[in-house]
């Protein structure tokens, strides 16, 4: 437990131990309400935070539960398992194109972004033809260093697009999540908030994990050889990659609504709390040799997807996409290798979600 200061001058508590974070995320005295004056806002992200107040990520009980359950049916293990053939088809199509094209190729544009974007678009009912637009706006919103004016413009453009999409679905319903949610919402802004959350989170996070996971496996040939020889090891490898990178570092911010004793300190009502998941997932009290990448670890108690009532809604889908990609990529491109040293890649050190901007590969 440490007192830290955000770039905007606000003081808050940072949590670094896994058990402290898991305890906090299941304690109703910590709120997700973005409208609370003590809620920790990252520099330049006020506009995005305001938008998320009307989606379930900013809700507390009792409002949160019914909204989450209504959406959860599209992300159950059974529903995601039924999507596996389509995910496989999408991965194969994009690998066909990449392997038939020029070398080196940028894996981010050739595979990582298209796979994650296309799947979430089909699930939500968002036209994939518009992917370049929403990917560009999302990228701006997820940069901590983006100017306030740029953030506001990107958010406004994405909100306008999603509102028009919701209105179009009222006239022309389809077999998709947004259409199924229409009867639940009297206020279209609330459905736009949900669509915003699922669209941005649904493609950015998985895309970055595909790229980072590829780098990690290529740089750990023993682990790569193990999953090539036995694809049954891929799920554990995915869990280890999720733990190791923990790319959504700031997703579980909270504000105390009562005085709380946690981790040996007293947190006052109104204090912001910032769980540092990437540190907690390297907690030596929770993981042996935590800085080592070990696909045999099988440590599913990591918090890369958060914990508690707000645990990532799309975690089953993300796991499935990652498993299919890594099973397929390294079987179909056994000589795949980085086209530049990993140290020369441009990583998203300025991002709300960690990743890599480009990933040149050859084979």
């Amino acid at each position: 437990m440490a007192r830290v200061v955000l770039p905007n001058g606000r003081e808050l508590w940072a949590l670094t131990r896994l058990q402290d974070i898991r305890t906090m995320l299941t304690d109703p005295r910590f709120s997700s309400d973005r409208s609370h004056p003590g809620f920790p806002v990252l520099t330049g992200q006020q506009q995005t935070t305001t938008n998320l107040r009307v989606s379930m990520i900013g809700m507390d009980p009792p409002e949160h539960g019914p909204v989450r359950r209504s959406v959860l049916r599209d992300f159950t293990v059974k529903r995601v398992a039924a999507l596996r053939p389509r995910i496989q088809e999408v991965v194969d199509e994009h690998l066909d194109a990449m392997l038939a094209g020029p070398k080196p190729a940028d894996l981010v544009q050739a595979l990582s972004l298209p796979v994650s974007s296309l799947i979430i678009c089909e699930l939500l009912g968002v036209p994939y033809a518009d992917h370049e637009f929403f990917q560009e706006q999302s990228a701006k919103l997820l940069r901590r260093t983006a100017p306030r004016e740029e953030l506001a413009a990107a958010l406004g453009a994405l909100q306008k697009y999603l509102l028009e999409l919701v209105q179009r679905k009222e006239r022309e319903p389809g077999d998709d999540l947004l259409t199924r949610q229409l009867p639940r919402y009297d206020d279209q802004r609330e459905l736009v908030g949900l669509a915003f959350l699922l669209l941005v989170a649904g493609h950015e996070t998985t895309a970055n994990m595909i790229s980072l996971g590829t780098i990690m496996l290529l740089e750990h040939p023993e682990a790569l050889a193990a999953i090539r020889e036995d694809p049954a090891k891929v799920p554990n490898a995915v869990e280890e990659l999720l733990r190791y990178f923990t790319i959504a570092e700031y997703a579980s911010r909270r504000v105390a609504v009562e005085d709380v004793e946690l981790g040996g300190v007293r947190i006052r009502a109104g204090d912001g709390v910032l769980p540092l998941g990437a540190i907690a997932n390297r907690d030596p009290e929770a993981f042996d040799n935590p800085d080592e990448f070990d696909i045999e670890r099988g440590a599913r108690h990591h918090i890369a997807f958060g914990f508690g009532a707000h645990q990532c809604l799309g975690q089953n889908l993300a796991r499935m996409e990652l498993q299919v990609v890594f099973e397929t990529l390294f079987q179909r491109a056994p000589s795949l290798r980085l086209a530049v040293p990993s140290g020369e890649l441009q990583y998203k050190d300025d991002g709300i979600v960690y990743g890599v901007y480009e990933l040149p590969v050859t084979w």
Side-chain angles (χ1 to χ4, degrees):
M1 304 286 293
R3 290 292 279 176
V4 297
V5 182
L6 293 179
N8 60 13
R10 289 278 300 277
E11 282 194 18
L12 71 162
W13 289 102
L15 281 62
T16 61
R17 286 193 293 259
L18 187 77
Q19 188 54 55
D20 286 344
I21 293 175
R22 289 164 70 99
T23 299
M24 186 275 290
L25 291 176
T26 54
D27 190 326
R29 294 172 294 179
F30 292 96
S31 171
S32 295
D33 184 358
R34 267 69 177 159
S35 67
H36 193 290
F39 188 86
V41 177
L42 302 177
T43 302
Q45 294 298 313
Q46 182 65 55
Q47 292 96 337
T48 307
T49 297
T50 301
N51 185 66
L52 292 178
R53 286 174 188 166
V54 295
S55 77
M56 62 182 166
I57 197 173
M59 294 178 180
D60 293 324
E63 294 83 9
H64 173 258
V67 176
R68 182 181 172 93
R69 286 191 293 273
S70 74
V71 183
L72 190 60
R73 66 191 66 178
D74 283 284
F75 294 95
T76 62
V77 172
K78 183 178 180 180
R79 170 69 171 139
V80 168
L83 290 174
R84 182 169 187 132
R86 176 57 181 153
I87 297 171
Q88 184 68 63
E89 184 179 34
V90 170
V91 171
D92 283 332
E93 287 174 355
H94 285 85
L95 275 178
D96 286 343
M98 186 183 86
L99 296 175
K103 297 182 283 188
D106 177 10
L107 195 81
V108 171
Q109 297 299 326
L111 187 68
S112 304
L113 269 174
V115 169
S116 55
S117 296
L118 184 53
I119 295 302
I120 197 64
C121 280
E122 291 183 353
L123 187 63
L124 294 179
V126 175
Y128 182 68
D130 299 332
H131 70 278
E132 290 185 3
F133 164 76
F134 67 72
Q135 286 171 1
E136 180 182 357
Q137 308 313 313
S138 298
K140 293 175 182 176
L141 291 170
L142 293 173
R143 281 179 50 225
R144 293 199 307 272
T145 55
R148 187 176 297 273
E149 298 77 16
E150 184 177 295
L151 281 170
L155 180 60
L158 198 50
Q159 285 179 319
K160 180 175 181 291
Y161 169 79
L162 291 171
L163 179 59
E164 292 172 353
L165 178 63
V166 167
Q167 292 170 341
R168 188 160 72 245
K169 289 192 177 298
E170 288 185 327
R171 301 189 302 269
E172 305 167 11
D175 182 17
D176 55 67
L177 186 150
L178 292 182
T179 297
R180 287 189 286 275
Q181 288 296 311
L182 278 170
R184 290 189 50 84
Y185 290 90
D186 297 323
D187 187 343
Q188 291 179 336
R189 294 176 307 162
E190 294 183 4
L191 185 52
V192 167
L194 176 66
F196 174 90
L197 172 66
L198 296 178
L199 181 62
V200 174
H203 80 272
E204 279 284 351
T205 49
T206 307
N208 282 306
M209 277 305 307
I210 290 172
S211 299
L212 291 171
T214 299
I215 298 167
M216 199 68 179
L217 289 167
L218 288 174
E219 298 220 307
H220 289 77
E222 291 182 2
L224 181 53
I227 66 169
R228 276 200 182 115
E229 182 178 337
D230 183 4
K233 293 180 181 289
V234 171
N236 273 351
V238 165
E239 296 304 321
E240 179 67 348
L241 288 165
L242 290 164
R243 179 197 73 86
Y244 193 88
F245 286 109
T246 315
I247 61 173
E249 175 75 88
Y250 307 110
S252 298
R253 289 167 287 152
R254 298 289 187 269
V255 57
V257 292
E258 298 178 26
D259 289 1
V260 185
E261 191 82 21
L262 179 66
V265 302
R266 189 168 187 79
I267 298 175
R268 301 291 182 182
D271 283 354
V273 177
L274 180 67
L276 297 178
I279 297 178
N281 278 337
R282 306 284 186 98
D283 185 344
E285 294 181 4
F287 305 98
D288 293 333
N289 303 313
D291 292 326
E292 291 184 10
F293 176 67
D294 179 7
I295 67 168
E296 305 291 346
R297 187 186 302 275
R300 286 180 65 100
H301 61 293
H302 63 73
I303 54 169
F305 289 118
F307 191 67
H310 282 278
Q311 194 169 19
C312 176
L313 188 71
Q315 61 181 297
N316 294 325
L317 180 61
R319 285 183 167 108
M320 178 66 76
E321 290 181 30
L322 292 169
Q323 289 171 21
V324 172
V325 166
F326 295 138
E327 285 177 16
T328 308
L329 174 62
F330 296 113
Q331 293 294 338
R332 293 198 52 193
S335 61
L336 189 78
R337 62 188 185 278
L338 300 180
V340 298
S342 61
E344 295 179 10
L345 297 172
Q346 186 181 3
Y347 293 88
K348 295 182 179 180
D349 295 318
D350 62 343
I352 301 299
V353 176
Y354 187 60
V356 63
Y357 285 102
E358 295 179 349
L359 180 54
V361 294
T362 191
W363 54 94

